[in-house]
Amino acid sequence: MRQGNLDQAGDGFAAVVRQAPTFAEAFLNLGLVREEQARHDEAIAAFQKALQLKPRLRGANLFLGIAQFRTNRLDASLATLRKETTVSPKDANAWMWFGIVALEKGDGDEAVRALDEAAKLSPDNVDILYHRGRAHLSVSKDSYARMFKADPKSWRVRQILAEANADAERHMDAIAEYQAAIQLAPNEPRLHEELGSEFRAAGKVPEAEEAYRKELEIDPDNVVAKYKLGVLLTEKGDAAQGKQLLEAALKVRPGLRNSDYNLGRAEMALDNDAAAAEHFQRATKADSDPDILEQTWYQLGIVYRRLHRMEEAQNAMATFQKLKNQEEENSQKLMRRYQAQPNPKSPPAPQNPQE
């Protein structure tokens, strides 16, 4: 069986069970071979016999449930896999297959619960993460469909349309939907914050600032809006107020994205070069965003030069140039791949780093 000689393995295990008809493990292995041979009904019979002989035989319910699933016996498969999760509650594969079958049966909530449990047990399993994503997407689609049906004029409908447009980088459409949502629910928290982010993505800086400030009027404790406004003010030249907002936000939530980079920029604008260098140094180790990392090394080179740390400035600029060359090389590869397509569409516009 391990060498893949399934016919010989099947004959061998069949001979074993004839000679030892109470040997549960032999029936389990026979079932595994028959399942690999796509002889599902025979596999099911072998797994059932193994469980009859040893009801708590590890893995037997799992493989029986999989075989039942592959023969479209979904109710039986769910019942069998539920038994396996009871017998082996730490088996991530059992929870994964339970979730897969529940999703196939149309029970998104049950699938989400099972696949969330599987992900806790095996957080880096790509198959589990894939099916978990499918399950959550199914539940989301169902929720949105019910929402549209229940109240198509709700501000929530406008909000979800805005989020969909934002995800697709249709920023002007997203702005229009957020504005429509705000007309229906002018004091709802987070709507102005998201509107501000879309204004900023569209290059409308004054409108973005106004939206962030309005959000903070509605919800003064919105840490993310405070942080985004701090980044925006730093970029437009008001580094003193920008730094104040950034530090206030980070005091509440220290792990906000690109925090050291943005604080470094604020300190740099205020001519606090030593403090800026410390923030940029941390950002080179913490930030994984390629655009931010590239800019961090560039700014760090400038700060080192101001501090007369010329060797470090040269090293920082050399690292910046290396990252920039890698970015250009990757862009050229993408362009060549795009040009090689039979009917190429317009390539996506390059994105500027955001906060």
Side-chain angles (χ1 to χ4, degrees), residues 217-248:
E217 287 179 19
I218 295 168
D219 182 9
D221 296 322
N222 186 325
V223 174
V224 176
K226 195 174 293 185
Y227 181 77
K228 289 179 178 179
L229 180 57
V231 172
L232 186 68
L233 292 176
T234 299
E235 287 180 349
K236 64 176 285 194
D238 190 353
Q241 190 180 358
K243 176 186 172 183
Q244 182 181 356
L245 288 166
L246 290 171
E247 289 179 335

Side-chain angles (χ1 to χ4, degrees), residues 185-194 210-229 245 249 252-253:
N187 296 315
E188 186 64 31
R190 292 200 62 216
L191 287 179
H192 287 88
E193 175 208 325
E194 298 299 339
E210 181 183 354
Y212 289 143
R213 291 192 184 279
K214 182 64 177 177
E215 179 67 33
L216 290 171
E217 287 179 19
I218 295 168
D219 182 9
D221 296 322
N222 186 325
V223 174
V224 176
K226 195 174 293 185
Y227 181 77
K228 289 179 178 179
L229 180 57
L245 288 166
V252 179
R253 196 182 301 177

Side-chain angles (χ1 to χ4, degrees), residues 122-270:
S122 185
D124 296 323
N125 185 305
V126 175
D127 290 331
I128 290 172
L129 293 173
Y130 167 73
H131 291 295
R132 184 182 181 222
R134 288 179 58 228
H136 281 275
L137 183 60
S138 173
V139 171
S140 296
K141 287 181 177 179
D142 181 62
S143 294
Y144 297 149
R146 292 180 184 222
M147 182 179 71
F148 275 77
K149 185 176 180 179
D151 188 359
K153 296 182 179 180
S154 167
W155 68 269
R156 285 290 191 191
V157 171
R158 293 295 189 176
Q159 182 186 34
I160 196 61
L161 290 172
E163 290 173 359
N165 282 313
D167 288 341
E169 299 183 0
R170 295 190 293 267
H171 300 298
M172 297 308 297
D173 291 336
I175 287 169
E177 294 296 348
Y178 276 125
Q179 288 174 327
I182 287 169
Q183 285 183 343
L184 296 169
N187 296 315
E188 186 64 31
R190 292 200 62 216
L191 287 179
H192 287 88
E193 175 208 325
E194 298 299 339
L195 175 62
S197 296
E198 291 307 302
F199 272 133
R200 187 176 174 200
K204 296 179 176 294
V205 175
E207 292 89 343
E209 180 181 349
E210 181 183 354
Y212 289 143
R213 291 192 184 279
K214 182 64 177 177
E215 179 67 33
L216 290 171
E217 287 179 19
I218 295 168
D219 182 9
D221 296 322
N222 186 325
V223 174
V224 176
K226 195 174 293 185
Y227 181 77
K228 289 179 178 179
L229 180 57
V231 172
L232 186 68
L233 292 176
T234 299
E235 287 180 349
K236 64 176 285 194
D238 190 353
Q241 190 180 358
K243 176 186 172 183
Q244 182 181 356
L245 288 166
L246 290 171
E247 289 179 335
L250 291 165
K251 186 176 180 181
V252 179
R253 196 182 301 177
L256 288 169
R257 185 170 175 245
N258 302 327
S259 57
D260 275 307
Y261 172 72
N262 286 311
L263 277 172
R265 293 173 67 198
E267 296 287 13
M268 188 177 175
L270 295 168

Side-chain angles (χ1 to χ4, degrees), residues 47-59:
F47 292 139
Q48 288 174 333
K49 183 62 177 179
L51 286 163
Q52 181 184 342
L53 294 167
K54 189 180 285 190
R56 296 183 68 85
L57 179 60
R58 184 175 177 81

